Amino acid sequence: MNHRTSRQAGIGSRLFTGIAFAAVATAPFAQADKLVIEAGRIIQNSGTEIENGVIVVEDGRIVAIGPAAEVEKPWDAPVVGGPELVAFPGFIEAHSNRGMDRPNENIDVAPFLDVRDSIDPINLYFEDCLRWGVTTINVQQGNDTVVAAKGRIVHPTGMTVEEMTVRPNYGLKLSAAPKRGNSRATQAQALRGAFGDLQRYLEDVVADARQGGDLARREALYQGRDMEGEKAKGRAMGGSTWKVDGLELIPRGAIDEQQEPLLELVEGRYDAFVWCGSPRDVHLAIDIATQNGFLDRTTLVLDSSCWKAADVIAAAGLDVILQGSQMDTETDPVTGEETETFVPGVFAEKGITFALSSENASSNSLWFQAARAVAHGLDRAAALDAVTTTPAAILGLGDQVGSLEVGKLADILLLSGDPLSSQSWVEHAFIEGNHVYDRSKDVRNKYIFEGQQPLGAGSASPQGVESVGVVEESNDDEDAEEK
Amino acid sequence: MIVSTLAAACAAVLFSGPVAGPVIGGVATDDYINGVASDDQETKRSWTISADAIYTADGSVIENGFIRVQDGKIVAMGPGGPSGGDVIRVGAITPGLIDLSLRVAASWNTVEQGSEVTANMRMADAVDLFDEDWQRALRGGVTTALATPLDRNVIGGLGVALKTGGEPTIEARQVAADVVLRGCVGSLPSSGNRPAFQRPNSIFNRRPTTRMGVEWEARKAFYDAMVAAADESKSFPGAEQLQAAMAGELPFMVQAATTQDIRTTLFLKDEFGIPNLILDSAAEAWKEPQMVQRSGASVVLPPFTWDGRTDVDGAAMPWNTAAGLAELGVTFALSGHGSSEPDQRLSMQPLYAMRGGLDFDTALASVTRVPAEMIGISDRVGTLAIGKDADLCLWSGVPFEATSAVVGVMLEGDLVVDPRD
C-alpha cells in the first residue's frame, strides 16, 4: 500500500484495527486517497439536490461535485455507489456525553479536566453513530456539573482519541440547572462563585507580582509549564465585561492551568454550552454569560420544558440545542389533564436557530429525530438543517462539514433511500474520504434488525441458527446478492 | 380509486341521499352531509372526515375518500365525498388502534398476590379508569385496549376490553368483559419471592421462587381444574375459568418473553389441550418460529427497541421478527405497553416492524383487525365498515412513515383529539 502521507498511514492502521475490534469492516479501497462516489441522487443540503451525481474526493476532501455528465472522474480513483443510492452529508450531533467512560465529574468546577481522558474509542456508541450515519460529535461532559471539563469534537472512528479528534479543547459545559445535591440557589452561587474565584485568583497574582513576589512564576516552573515564547508574554487579559488591573504584568504562562480555561472563556476564546434543565434556568444562564462576557459564544442546551423561555432566548439572540423528547408533556396539577407541546415547533416559530440532538432520546439516530420533527409539523428543510448545517455552524465547523460542497470534508453517507424515510438504511459511510461503514458487514446490525446471531456469540449455536426458517431465508438472500 | 366492493357499496349509500329525498330528520341534506346537523360543538354527534387515503384494515384502501359518522357509528364511507363546511380533512384514516398489552395500571395492586392462581379475579372489577395512561394511549391513537391482571402471580384472572376514553365508568367503556384468562410465566411471577425458613412473615415468603416453580403452579392449576371437572366436590374458585380455557371458550393469554418461557407455555398448551393460546410479549418467538407456527398459538409482540432488548425479561427481539412470523402465517399483533415515550407508542410499532421487512397491510392489521379478532371483539372494532364503532385514527400523512404522526382521534363519534388544533 502506498500511503502518500503519514496521516493516511495512520488512518490505514486505524481501519485495520477497526476490523479486528470494532466489528466495523471496511472495503479494500478504504485507504485510497482518491475516491469517486456515484449516487442516483445527491442531497447536498436541505435546498440543493443533484440527480445522477458524482462526488470526487481527494485527500479526505470533496474536490468536485455535480451531475455525472459534467464532472470529470479521475481515471485512477476507485468508484463506489450506484444509481439506487442517495448521497447525504453525515449527520452532526451538536452535543452529547455519550461515548465517555463516565459522563460526569464530582468536582463542581473542573474546567482543567478534559473529556479526552474519558472518551472510550471502542464504546458501542461510536459504532452506533456509524450505523445511523452520525459522522461528527461534539462530546461535552454530562449535565450534572457546575463548570465541566473541556470538550472535544470527534469523528466516531479511530482506536485512539487522537485519531478520532476533529477539534481538541473545544467548548466548556456549564450547568444552570442544579447539580445533584445542590439546591437551585446553591447552584447559582456555585456558578457565580466560579467566576468570582477566578477574579480573586487573578487579583492575588497581580498583587503578589506588585509586591515583588514570584509565586505564580515559581509555581508554573514547578508544574513544568512553558514559560518561553508566546506563553511567556503578558496580555491584556480579562473579559469584555470585567478586567483585573495590572494583569498585563503577568506572563500568560504563569496563570495556573486550573484557572486558564475559565479565563479563556471570559476572554471570549472558548465556546460555552450551558445546560438548562427547566425554563427557570434560562435566566441564570443568560445572566452568567452576560456578566462574564461570553454571551455571544454561548449555546444553550435545553430540556424539553425550556420552550417556555423561548421569548427570553430569542431576545438574547442565542442558538439552542434541543435535548430529550420533542414532545413536552405537562400535567395539570388539578385536573390531571396532560398537554403536549411540540418543542422544535416553538423555536422555529420564534426564529431561534436550533439543532436537534439524540441525547436522552430513544435512539442514537438523528435521521429519526428529524423525521419525527417533520411528522409533528416542522418543514422538511428546517428538520434537515437541524441535524446537518445548523449543528455544524454552532460548532464553528460550517465550512468543514454539514453539507456536500467542494472544499468540505468528505463525510458522506450513501443511503438506500430518502434520509427521512423509515425504510432507508445507511449502506455506506465515509469519513474524510475513508470508507468506515458498510452495512453488509455490520454484524450487530444484522443481529438487531435481521435476527442473525454472529457465529460464536453467546448461546447462538449454529444449530440454533439453522433451525430457524426466518434466518435461513435472509441468509439465502444475502448469498444470492453476493453471487 | 375503489379497491373494495365494500367501498363501492358505501359510495352508493351516499349518493343515493339526494335521490331519496332532500330532507333527513328535518335537516337539509347538504347540511346533513356536511355534518352541521348539530351546532353545539360539545354535543356534536355527526361528522364527516375526508382523507387522501382511508385504510379499512380488511385489505382495501379508499383513495381520496370520506367517512361519515353519526351517533358513534360509521354510517357512510366511500370515495370522493363532500368538502368545505366543517368537513375535516386529514392525510389518512385508519381504524382506531387496538392494544392487547397496554399495561395500563399494571402495577402491584392490579394482580391478586394472595395466591398464585386467581383465575376467577376480574380486571373489570378493579381497573382504574382515571389512570393517565388512558389519556396517553388515546392521544396516541389507541381506542381499544385490553386490561389484564399482570404480572406477580401465575394465573392472574380475567381481562377486560375497554375503550380508552369516554365516560369514566366500566359500563360506558367496556367493549367486552372477561375476554381472556391471563397467565404469566418467566421470572416476574417469582421475582421478590423468598422461601420461608421459619414462620412466614410476609406475602413474599412463598413459592414459587424459580421458573420451575412458576410452571408447576400453572400445571397444577390446570390439573386441579381437570379433576374438578370430573368431580364436582373438588371444585375451587377459578376452576370454571381454567376449564373454559381448556375447552377453548376463553383465550389463555400468557406473558412469555424468552425462548424458554415460550417453550414452557407451548408445553402447557400441549399437555392440557388449550386450543386458544395467546403468547404475550413473545419477543423471542423469532428464535423458534416453526415451533410457534406448529402450535397454532397466536402472538402479541412487545414494543421494538433500538438495541433489540425488550422490556420484559430482557428478551431480545430483532426488527424482522414480525416479518418472519408473517411469512410463516403466525397470527400476531403488535403492542405498545403503554410507554409514555411518544416514540414507543403503538402507532410507531408498525414502522419498526416494516423497517424489519413487514408489508404495510399486515402491519396495519396487526394493530387493528387482528388484535380485535384475537379477543373476539371484531364485530364492533378493528376495521372500518358501516355499522362499526366510529373509532378512527387520523394521520398527517401515510401511516407508519417516520414523517407521519397521529394528528387526530375519534372515539365512538367523539372527536377527542381534533386534528385542526
Side-chain angles (χ1 to χ4, degrees), chain A residues 216-217 219-233 251-255 257 260:
Chain A
R217 209 182 104 79
E219 191 174 272
L221 289 172
Y222 178 72
Q223 289 179 356
R225 276 182 277 131
D226 183 15
M227 295 292 288
E228 303 294 320
E230 187 69 13
K231 278 277 188 186
K233 284 180 198 157
R252 182 71 179 189
I255 300 296
E257 59 193 9
E260 197 176 1

Side-chain angles (χ1 to χ4, degrees), chain B residues 350-368:
Chain B
L351 181 160
Y352 303 133
M354 286 165 67
R355 194 166 164 83
L358 189 65
D359 64 287
F360 179 91
D361 285 346
T362 313
L364 173 63
S366 69
V367 291
T368 53

Side-chain angles (χ1 to χ4, degrees), chain B residues 80-132:
Chain B
S83 61
D86 65 351
V87 172
I88 294 170
R89 181 79 189 179
V90 293
I93 305 174
T94 64
L97 310 182
I98 299 175
D99 199 333
L100 295 191
S101 203
L102 185 66
R103 310 302 168 100
V104 61
S107 64
W108 296 76
N109 47 13
T110 57
V111 64
E112 176 53 45
Q113 295 188 63
S115 165
E116 302 313 329
V117 179
T118 53
N120 56 325
M121 296 289 162
R122 301 176 71 238
M123 192 65 181
D125 293 335
V127 68
D128 175 10
L129 298 175
F130 295 90
D131 194 301
E132 277 150 17

Side-chain angles (χ1 to χ4, degrees), chain A residues 132 325 327 329 331 336-338 340 362-363 365 367-369 371-372 374-376 420-425 447-451 453 464 467-471 473-474, chain B residues 132 135-136 139 286-290 305-309 316-320 324 327-328 341-345 348 351-352 354-356 396 400-405:
Chain A
W132 301 125
S325 176
M327 278 291 176
T329 307
T331 308
E337 276 307 301
E338 287 186 345
E340 284 180 344
S362 54
S363 85
S365 58
W367 75 264
F368 187 73
Q369 296 298 322
R372 293 314 291 159
V374 171
H376 295 300
L420 299 187
S421 164
S422 52
Q423 302 304 312
S424 293
W425 295 89
Y447 179 60
I448 296 174
F449 296 96
E450 295 161 29
Q453 302 235 18
S467 70
V468 177
V470 188
V471 173
E473 288 281 336
S474 42
Chain B
E132 277 150 17
Q135 279 184 39
R136 292 190 191 119
R139 278 205 303 275
W286 63 280
K287 285 193 176 170
E288 294 176 295
Q290 274 108 352
T305 59
W306 290 78
D307 62 359
R309 287 278 153 202
M317 182 169 74
W319 289 21
N320 69 342
E327 210 167 294
L328 292 175
E341 173 58 52
D343 290 347
Q344 298 299 318
R345 287 175 178 167
M348 299 296 290
L351 181 160
Y352 303 133
M354 286 165 67
R355 194 166 164 83
S396 63
F400 318 137
E401 259 301 328
T403 48
S404 298

Side-chain angles (χ1 to χ4, degrees), chain A residues 308-321:
Chain A
K308 290 179 181 172
D311 284 330
V312 182
I313 294 165
L318 294 177
D319 296 349
V320 300
I321 296 165

Side-chain angles (χ1 to χ4, degrees), chain A residues 192-481:
Chain A
R192 292 185 200 285
F195 293 95
D197 286 350
L198 172 67
Q199 194 165 1
R200 266 191 302 282
Y201 162 78
L202 295 173
E203 282 164 2
D204 287 353
V205 170
V206 171
D208 182 59
R210 279 186 170 148
Q211 286 161 16
D214 199 19
L215 195 62
R217 209 182 104 79
R218 273 187 288 144
E219 191 174 272
L221 289 172
Y222 178 72
Q223 289 179 356
R225 276 182 277 131
D226 183 15
M227 295 292 288
E228 303 294 320
E230 187 69 13
K231 278 277 188 186
K233 284 180 198 157
R235 293 214 188 121
M237 291 178 289
S240 56
T241 49
W242 57 264
K243 282 194 167 48
V244 172
D245 282 344
L247 197 57
E248 65 278 4
L249 300 174
I250 309 300
R252 182 71 179 189
I255 300 296
D256 188 342
E257 59 193 9
Q258 293 208 7
Q259 305 286 348
E260 197 176 1
L262 209 53
L263 178 60
E264 292 198 344
L265 182 67
V266 170
E267 288 169 332
R269 294 199 274 151
Y270 238 90
D271 283 358
F273 295 91
V274 189
W275 160 246
C276 300
S278 77
R280 60 195 152 172
D281 299 332
V282 170
H283 176 73
L284 176 65
I286 293 174
D287 201 32
I288 294 278
T290 309
Q291 281 177 8
N292 295 291
F294 58 89
L295 187 72
D296 56 346
R297 299 205 62 166
T298 293
T299 303
L300 298 182
V301 182
L302 301 179
D303 180 61
S304 311
S305 61
C306 293
W307 63 269
K308 290 179 181 172
D311 284 330
V312 182
I313 294 165
L318 294 177
D319 296 349
V320 300
I321 296 165
L322 304 180
Q323 186 171 304
S325 176
Q326 292 182 13
M327 278 291 176
D328 180 44
T329 307
E330 283 176 279
T331 308
D332 186 306
V334 177
T335 63
E337 276 307 301
E338 287 186 345
T339 319
E340 284 180 344
T341 306
F342 173 52
V343 178
V346 175
F347 288 98
E349 199 176 295
K350 304 277 182 194
I352 297 167
T353 303
F354 64 92
L356 298 173
S357 85
S358 72
E359 181 89 41
N360 285 5
S362 54
S363 85
N364 299 336
S365 58
L366 286 167
W367 75 264
F368 187 73
Q369 296 298 322
R372 293 314 291 159
V374 171
H376 295 300
L378 195 65
D379 72 64
R380 180 184 155 92
L384 288 177
D385 288 346
V387 290
T388 55
T389 49
T390 302
I394 286 175
L395 302 182
L397 295 175
D399 56 346
Q400 300 289 321
V401 294
S403 62
L404 301 180
E405 286 167 49
V406 171
K408 288 199 171 183
L409 292 180
D411 294 355
I412 302 166
L413 309 177
L414 281 175
L415 310 169
S416 61
D418 187 85
L420 299 187
S421 164
S422 52
Q423 302 304 312
S424 293
W425 295 89
V426 175
E427 297 291 349
H428 300 276
F430 301 85
I431 290 181
E432 296 191 31
N434 292 293
H435 190 202
V436 293
Y437 178 79
D438 179 345
R439 182 163 83 104
S440 69
K441 292 171 181 156
D442 182 348
V443 177
R444 287 198 181 89
N445 194 70
K446 283 180 188 299
Y447 179 60
I448 296 174
F449 296 96
E450 295 161 29
Q452 288 185 35
Q453 302 235 18
L455 286 176
S459 61
S461 60
Q463 169 243 327
V465 172
E466 277 162 16
S467 70
V468 177
V470 188
V471 173
E472 262 174 27
E473 288 281 336
S474 42
N475 275 337
D476 291 344
D477 290 346
E478 193 170 278
D479 290 344
E481 271 168 34

Side-chain angles (χ1 to χ4, degrees), chain B residues 13-24 29:
Chain B
V13 168
L14 173 81
F15 294 122
S16 69
V19 180
V23 174
I24 298 171
T29 308

